[in-house]
């Protein structure tokens, strides 16, 4: 496999262990994907430059995921400016794109169970809830083998390779901080 393709596949692994934070969404908030986009920070950051792949979930005014495919990925082109975004190219969607999505809606929010195309066997659950009148969003997957709220991911790259991947999360239940270092 060509080194650049191997690097893209490893970066897709990072996206599964991406960071997601629960933040209030102000009424009428606007994001790169529309009026009701709420950033779900699945961030793939890397040592070679500041550009990142972000994931966002489209929510309605009741904090419920909109449509059958509410989660989308896009580039945040930080090398060109803080507000510059670009869509994924078709070839990038094969790696960074969102695969299957299953939406469950409720009175106070909803969930999106999803997979990334590069990693269909490692699910991520995006949970959107209204708590005290504010919409909060978090991504839950595994960190060090434990169900966790994903917090941060960073890849340290070498010449045509990934040296290591650092994944950080907060374990569900007791809130313990977990860190997992993956060496490809």
């Amino acid at each position: 496999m060509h080194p650049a393709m191997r690097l893209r596949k490893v970066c897709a692994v990072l996206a599964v262990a991406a960071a997601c934070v629960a933040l209030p969404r102000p009424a009428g908030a606007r994001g790169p994907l529309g009026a009701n986009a709420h950033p779900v920070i699945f961030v793939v950051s890397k040592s070679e430059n500041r550009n990142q792949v972000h994931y966002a979930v489209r929510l309605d005014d009741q904090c419920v995921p909109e449509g059958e495919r509410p989660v989308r990925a896009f580039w945040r082109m930080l090398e060109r400016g803080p507000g510059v975004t670009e869509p994924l190219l078709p070839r990038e969607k094969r790696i960074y794109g969102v695969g299957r999505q299953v939406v469950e809606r409720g009175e106070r929010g909803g969930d999106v169970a999803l997979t990334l195309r590069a990693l269909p066997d490692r699910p991520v659950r995006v949970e959107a809830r209204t708590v005290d009148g504010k919409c909060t969003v978090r991504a839950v997957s595994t960190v060090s083998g434990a169900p966790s709220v994903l917090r941060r991911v960073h890849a340290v790259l070498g010449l045509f390779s990934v040296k290591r991947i650092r994944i950080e999360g907060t374990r569900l239940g007791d809130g313990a901080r977990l860190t997992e270092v993956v060496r490809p």
Side-chain angles (χ1 to χ4, degrees):
M1 179 184 297
H2 188 273
M5 289 302 292
R6 186 172 59 213
L7 175 61
R8 287 183 186 260
K9 283 193 174 247
V10 171
C11 287
V13 171
L14 294 174
V16 168
C20 177
V21 295
L23 297 172
R25 179 177 58 106
R30 291 196 166 281
L33 300 177
N36 293 327
H38 181 89
V40 176
I41 306 169
F42 277 78
V43 178
V44 177
S45 67
K46 51 196 186 314
S47 61
E48 77 176 356
N49 65 35
R50 298 179 332 170
N51 296 336
Q52 303 169 337
V53 176
H54 284 229
Y55 293 78
V57 60
R58 196 171 305 131
L59 303 169
D60 67 15
D61 292 336
Q62 312 307 298
C63 196
V64 176
E66 286 188 325
E68 296 306 310
R69 296 189 55 80
V71 178
R72 302 283 188 267
F74 62 94
W75 282 103
R76 175 125 0 237
M77 304 302 286
L78 297 172
E79 292 288 315
R80 296 197 329 228
V84 180
T85 62
E86 289 184 4
L88 297 179
L89 297 173
R91 69 177 181 269
E92 295 167 336
K93 287 180 182 179
R94 290 191 305 262
I95 297 165
Y96 297 111
V98 178
R100 184 179 62 91
Q101 296 185 46
V102 177
V103 180
E104 298 173 15
R105 295 173 176 87
E107 288 184 26
R108 298 179 60 189
D111 295 342
V112 182
L114 63 94
T115 59
L116 297 178
R117 289 191 177 148
L119 299 165
D121 296 330
R122 189 159 185 184
V124 175
R125 185 170 198 83
V126 177
E127 300 173 345
R129 300 285 182 274
T130 301
V131 179
D132 296 327
K134 295 180 181 173
C135 183
T136 61
V137 179
R138 69 181 186 176
V140 177
S141 192
T142 59
V143 178
S144 296
S148 302
V149 175
L150 301 168
R151 294 289 176 207
R152 184 173 176 211
V153 174
H154 182 74
V156 176
L157 305 177
L159 188 61
F160 303 116
S161 67
V162 175
K163 291 182 179 179
R164 65 185 171 276
I165 301 165
R166 183 179 172 97
I167 304 165
E168 298 175 12
T170 305
R171 185 170 44 218
L172 293 177
D174 65 5
R177 291 189 177 255
L178 300 176
T179 299
E180 179 177 353
V181 176
V182 178
R183 296 185 192 279

